[in-house]
Structure formats: structure tokens, C-alpha cells
Amino acid sequence: MINLLPGVLSTVSALASVFAILISIKSCQVSNDAFDLASAEYIQGRSLLLTAEFSENNESIKLKPTNDEITFLTGTVTFPSEIYGEAVPVSSSGALWRMGAITPNLQDYALKKAPRETGLIKAQSLTIPIIIDSYYAVKGDTYTDRSLYLLRYDAFIHEDLYKQPSLYFRGLLFSLRESQLQKLDADLLKKIINNEMRVIMPYGAPSLLPKK
């Protein structure tokens, strides 16, 4: 009678080895996924995303981090040259300086887009691309951020030549962060405001998978 036991044991041993390898690969994959998730959470917890508060009279803008753990320290806002030619300082409270000079330029820009007409009050919804440079603190460390945002406002153009358009700020939308692939500068702002380049807003629901 042929003894099959050694062959069976050899086969079982081989299958056990293959199974062990598969378990090891799966464990490595799980470990890598956990590491990627932890890395993503680390970066997200320290990344700056700003919103804006507008005064009731629409004469002031105050930047504010959406993450309560982040402390805004200082920064600047760069407008397209058609609106303002210098970087605008931002105080530690998030308040934009020089609004007394910026607001009339926003009104003039609205008039350029929708000239006055006798007997009409025109309404314009406008979007201005801006670059915000920020210096902030979170979890005991300080960081810098340079991002493109879109400042939205409505303007009502009156027929009276001596009455400036009425402005109503509507929101501040995040667009993208500066990266090695996309530099943010005055030339980019000029192209966007002149409709030579289109801004595609971020989309999609939160997910553990990276956006394609």
C-alpha cells in the first residue's frame, strides 16, 4: 500500500505557507491604509481654510479660519491690479485693511461691467479672484498658506451719476492652494478676472478615497 501521508502533509504545508503569505500581504495593506489615513488626518487637521464675515454696512471684511483650533496670526490679500495694486495687510483679528480704498474700486469695477442707464437700476453679481497669504498657528506649531479664493458680491447700479453703486458682500469661496504644479501670482488673477482662465471649484463629498 502506497503511503500518501508525506505528500498530503507536503501539500498542506505548502497551502499553509501560501495562506500565511496572503495574510501577511493583507496585513501590510491594512497597515499602509491606516498610515495613509493617519497622514491625511494629520495634514487636514493643520490645513487652513478661511471664511469671511462681513459687517452689516458692507464696509469691512474679516477673515476667519473654519477650524476653531487654528489661530490666524497675520497675512495679506492680493487683488487683481484692476481692483487694487498692492498687497492688503490683514490684522491678527482677520480684518482687512484699506477697505476705504478698495470699496470704491469694487464699485468702479461694477460700473465697468454694467454702465448706468437712464430710468434703470441694474443688479450685478460679481466674483473677484484674490490670493490670501496666511501665517497661522495650530497644535503648537506655525505654518504658512497661500491660496486662491473668490470674493463674491452684488452691486446695484443707480441711474444717478453722483450715486455710487450699492455693494453687498455675499461670500468667500476657497478655490485651490498653491503647489508645485500651480503657482499663484498677479498674472493668474489678471487672466481669471479677464475671463482668459476659468476657475473650477472643488467638488465631491468627503471620502477616504483620493479625488481623481
Side-chain angles (χ1 to χ4, degrees):
M1 183 175 180
I2 300 175
N3 187 0
L4 299 178
L5 184 59
V8 172
L9 292 177
S10 178
T11 301
V12 171
S13 177
L15 290 175
S17 298
V18 172
F19 185 71
I21 292 173
L22 292 176
I23 292 295
S24 177
I25 293 174
K26 184 62 177 178
S27 298
C28 289
Q29 182 180 354
V30 171
S31 298
N32 288 336
D33 290 344
F35 176 78
D36 291 342
L37 181 59
S39 298
E41 290 178 347
Y42 179 90
I43 294 173
Q44 290 172 2
R46 289 162 175 75
S47 296
L48 178 67
L49 189 65
L50 294 169
T51 185
E53 297 177 349
F54 309 103
S55 61
E56 292 186 4
N57 58 11
N58 288 278
E59 293 182 354
S60 66
I61 299 175
K62 184 178 181 180
L63 304 179
K64 180 181 178 182
T66 57
N67 186 345
D68 292 335
E69 295 184 7
I70 292 178
T71 300
F72 186 88
L73 299 176
T74 188
T76 60
V77 174
T78 302
F79 287 83
S81 57
E82 291 90 336
I83 304 299
Y84 200 76
E86 301 177 2
V88 179
V90 182
S91 68
S92 59
S93 67
L96 268 69
W97 294 11
R98 305 177 186 172
M99 287 302 297
I102 294 170
T103 297
N105 294 342
L106 293 175
Q107 293 169 323
D108 291 342
Y109 180 72
L111 282 172
K112 178 182 176 182
K113 292 296 182 180
R116 302 181 196 274
E117 288 188 35
T118 303
L120 291 178
I121 297 179
K122 294 183 177 181
Q124 279 280 101
S125 293
L126 301 163
T127 300
I128 305 297
I130 60 175
I131 296 172
I132 302 180
D133 288 282
S134 306
Y135 182 58
Y136 63 99
V138 59
K139 300 183 185 299
D141 288 316
T142 55
Y143 302 90
T144 58
D145 180 82
R146 183 176 176 86
S147 295
L148 176 69
Y149 286 81
L150 302 177
L151 177 64
R152 300 173 62 242
Y153 70 98
D154 293 338
F156 292 89
I157 292 89
H158 309 280
E159 62 174 324
D160 188 346
L161 292 175
Y162 301 100
K163 187 173 184 180
Q164 283 287 77
S166 302
L167 298 188
Y168 299 91
F169 292 110
R170 294 306 183 198
L172 182 71
L173 304 179
F174 171 81
S175 179
L176 60 88
R177 297 188 201 282
E178 184 173 70
S179 65
Q180 293 181 349
L181 299 177
Q182 179 62 70
K183 296 299 180 182
L184 305 180
D185 54 25
D187 185 57
L188 176 67
L189 295 180
K190 183 177 180 180
K191 289 179 179 179
I192 295 173
I193 201 170
N194 290 331
N195 295 319
E196 298 174 9
M197 182 176 289
R198 186 164 63 96
V199 176
I200 300 176
M201 299 304 297
Y203 70 95
S207 171
L208 296 180
L209 300 176
K211 291 183 179 179
K212 295 182 179 180

